[in-house]
Amino acid sequence: MAEPGYRAVSRRESRSLSGYKHACHLMVYGPDPGKLFGKIPLRYALLMQMRFDGKIGFPRGGFVDLRDGTLEDGLNRELSEELGCDPTMLCITESDYASSHATEGPAQKVVAHFYTKKISLEELHKVELSAVQAKDHGREVMGIIRVPLYTLRDGFGGLPAFLTNTFIGNAKEQLISALRTLRLLSEAELQAAISASRVG
Ligand code: IMP
């Protein structure tokens, strides 16, 4: 599912598009056995970030110049600016690649490449701690956040309320698609959360 204006392209096809810039984004997640208020299963800790523009997106690899190496080389290089971690903490490889979407904005043509990486909760917590020390913290990144993956008894608190935020680019579609593809939520739970977010 892609937002209007975004069309899915294969990784290979994206390389042959001319005049497009390539941006990479990463969703890190890990199983979380904890319970909110001692009873609501948290299921997974999954990281997004509040950006400088007040929108929510995924940690970025910035624009990658394919003449300087692979998409993953660029992503690994740039991630340290936002997450403060080096490849010994978080090394993204082609096996973490999920999807690519092309869009033509008024100012630029962009292919957004999306990666997902499962790590342990302990590793994820280290990423959170290092993000506060990163170069971009308090500037381009206002803070790393965990996405609530549950729905509270009122039917709106949790993931539905989270989905009412303003997201950058197709980040919301990337999130929903990853929750579905990686089966982090059941299809029924996901559909219920999406519907509830529309009703508010
Ligand atoms: P910037 O992050 O504002 O420099 O945006 C560069 C490009 O990447 C723009 O086309 C944004 O819409 C896109 N972008 C930034 N963050 C995300 C994200 O998390 N998911 C998808 N696209 C993004």
Side-chain angles (χ1 to χ4, degrees):
M1 175 186 55
E3 202 183 68
Y6 283 82
R7 87 183 156 89
V9 289
S10 71
R11 182 186 166 91
R12 178 187 256 251
E13 183 191 349
S14 75
R15 293 190 75 98
S16 59
L17 294 172
S18 75
Y20 280 75
K21 289 183 165 184
H22 295 260
C24 296
H25 306 101
L26 172 68
M27 185 187 99
V28 173
Y29 68 103
D32 186 345
K35 290 190 174 173
L36 176 67
F37 309 134
K39 54 183 179 200
I40 301 169
L42 293 167
R43 297 164 168 173
Y44 290 90
L46 186 162
L47 300 182
M48 292 189 81
Q49 60 190 23
M50 173 59 70
R51 296 162 40 100
F52 60 95
D53 51 14
K55 298 179 183 176
I56 292 176
F58 289 98
R60 300 174 301 164
F63 286 119
V64 176
D65 188 337
L66 291 172
R67 288 168 303 187
D68 293 343
T70 65
L71 290 168
E72 293 78 29
D73 290 339
L75 178 56
N76 283 316
R77 224 179 6 251
E78 298 282 328
L79 265 180
S80 68
E81 297 197 357
E82 298 209 333
L83 295 180
C85 52
D86 58 48
T88 59
M89 274 176 81
L90 202 58
C91 182
I92 309 307
T93 66
E94 199 175 330
S95 64
D96 303 314
Y97 170 79
S99 63
S100 303
H101 288 87
T103 184
E104 282 187 35
Q108 56 192 2
K109 298 197 276 190
V110 174
V111 185
H113 302 279
F114 187 54
Y115 292 77
T116 61
K117 189 156 189 88
K118 185 177 180 184
I119 57 177
S120 71
L121 187 59
E122 291 70 30
E123 289 167 325
L124 183 137
H125 190 48
K126 283 188 191 149
V127 171
E128 289 175 315
L129 292 173
S130 77
V132 182
Q133 310 289 341
K135 178 170 164 276
D136 286 349
H137 180 71
R139 294 178 179 82
E140 293 184 33
V141 182
M142 306 309 280
I144 286 282
I145 52 178
R146 291 190 189 191
V147 176
L149 294 182
Y150 45 80
T151 300
L152 298 180
R153 279 176 62 185
D154 66 2
F156 183 67
L159 183 59
F162 182 81
L163 293 175
T164 66
N165 279 293
T166 302
F167 293 81
I168 183 72
N170 66 333
K172 181 172 165 179
E173 288 66 33
Q174 290 171 327
L175 171 66
I176 291 172
S177 163
L179 293 176
R180 176 174 288 128
T181 311
L182 299 167
R183 297 179 193 274
L184 304 189
L185 292 182
S186 73
E187 187 59 31
E189 287 170 307
L190 190 54
Q191 281 305 334
I194 294 168
S195 303
S197 74
R198 293 196 182 120
V199 176

